[in-house]
Amino acid sequence: MIKEEKRIKNRKHEKGFGGLELLSVAVVCLIIAAVFLVIALQSSYNDKYQVMQYNATQLAVNATGFQFQSINNEVYLKEMIDFGAMSNVKNPFYDTKYCDTANSKLVFEGDKKYVTLKCGEYVIDNQYVAEKKFTIYKITAWHETKKSGDNQETILYNYKDENGNDVFKESYEKNMFLYAFNLENDYEYNDVEEIPSDFNVYSKTYYRKKTEVAKVDVK
């Protein structure tokens, strides 16, 4: 009788220990799966970063040939698309969307060129095109009130209609605004300051947070 009770206790002990082992194995498997998922996602984003870098380089190449059309040494992606010099650039982070045409550009400063490509919440910002590595940042939207963590500011332009409403849905950098204004009104002003006051052009300072997320080798 005593031996039988011991056998029963041993079987119970074995079953309990087996259950704990199974639970431990399941936890380890979950941890391993999570690690592989993180690695896979990181690899996926690295590919997207590389595509973004390539697209920025292509923008710089195409804009260089379009330089004669530039206003104040800046060529915007929207200008090149409007003139048929370039197609929309697919946003590598959202396959069904495109990069921002009004906030992507090439800037000429003497013999040097600096490219900006904004795709959703990611941007290559004023990158010297001759560098061997491009820096990619994650950004917030521009907002009028400075918030904790904001480390970038800019001045954006818009103008109001006769009812006091903004004509453009979004405000633009100075030269992009000038291009959009001329296109909208069929004018050829060379500077924002030339636009008559009747158009109620105004500017505001905006802020956002910009955080480095990757450095990508130029290929």
Side-chain angles (χ1 to χ4, degrees), residues 191-205:
D191 199 296
V192 170
E193 280 67 31
E194 295 179 11
I195 300 174
S197 59
D198 295 348
F199 284 102
N200 298 312
V201 175
Y202 71 93
S203 62
K204 287 183 180 179
T205 301

Side-chain angles (χ1 to χ4, degrees), residues 62-63 65-71 74-88 101 175-176 178-180 182-184 186-188:
N62 287 321
F66 196 75
Q67 184 177 2
F68 69 94
Q69 292 278 2
S70 66
I71 297 177
E74 290 185 343
V75 176
Y76 284 85
L77 176 56
K78 178 169 173 51
E79 295 178 77
M80 290 188 287
I81 292 173
D82 288 346
F83 282 87
M86 194 168 177
S87 300
N88 275 302
T101 62
N175 290 332
M176 181 62 222
L178 181 61
Y179 173 76
N182 284 338
L183 193 66
E184 179 79 12
D186 197 24
Y187 289 121
E188 294 185 358

Side-chain angles (χ1 to χ4, degrees), residues 134-207:
F134 276 25
T135 304
I136 297 177
Y137 302 91
K138 192 170 185 178
I139 52 174
T140 63
W142 290 113
H143 39 262
E144 294 182 39
T145 304
K146 190 172 186 179
K147 300 177 182 179
S148 176
D150 288 343
N151 53 11
Q152 231 188 346
E153 66 177 74
T154 193
I155 297 174
L156 302 179
Y157 290 75
N158 210 326
Y159 74 112
K160 295 184 180 294
D161 61 23
E162 57 186 15
N163 296 317
N165 300 314
D166 287 343
V167 175
F168 296 133
K169 291 182 179 179
E170 65 173 307
S171 296
Y172 297 125
E173 294 178 351
K174 187 176 184 179
N175 290 332
M176 181 62 222
F177 169 79
L178 181 61
Y179 173 76
F181 179 88
N182 284 338
L183 193 66
E184 179 79 12
N185 298 282
D186 197 24
Y187 289 121
E188 294 185 358
Y189 294 114
N190 293 310
D191 199 296
V192 170
E193 280 67 31
E194 295 179 11
I195 300 174
S197 59
D198 295 348
F199 284 102
N200 298 312
V201 175
Y202 71 93
S203 62
K204 287 183 180 179
T205 301
Y206 289 81
Y207 307 89

Side-chain angles (χ1 to χ4, degrees), residues 35-103:
V35 170
F36 275 108
L37 179 61
V38 170
I39 293 173
L41 288 174
Q42 186 59 47
S43 176
S44 173
Y45 266 83
N46 287 339
D47 291 341
K48 295 177 191 297
Y49 295 147
Q50 196 70 63
V51 171
M52 189 174 181
Q53 175 275 312
Y54 175 81
N55 288 339
T57 299
Q58 289 303 112
L59 170 59
V61 169
N62 287 321
T64 299
F66 196 75
Q67 184 177 2
F68 69 94
Q69 292 278 2
S70 66
I71 297 177
N72 297 323
N73 297 319
E74 290 185 343
V75 176
Y76 284 85
L77 176 56
K78 178 169 173 51
E79 295 178 77
M80 290 188 287
I81 292 173
D82 288 346
F83 282 87
M86 194 168 177
S87 300
N88 275 302
V89 177
K90 280 191 175 181
N91 184 338
F93 304 97
Y94 302 95
D95 293 338
T96 59
K97 297 182 180 180
Y98 296 103
C99 295
D100 192 330
T101 62
N103 290 287

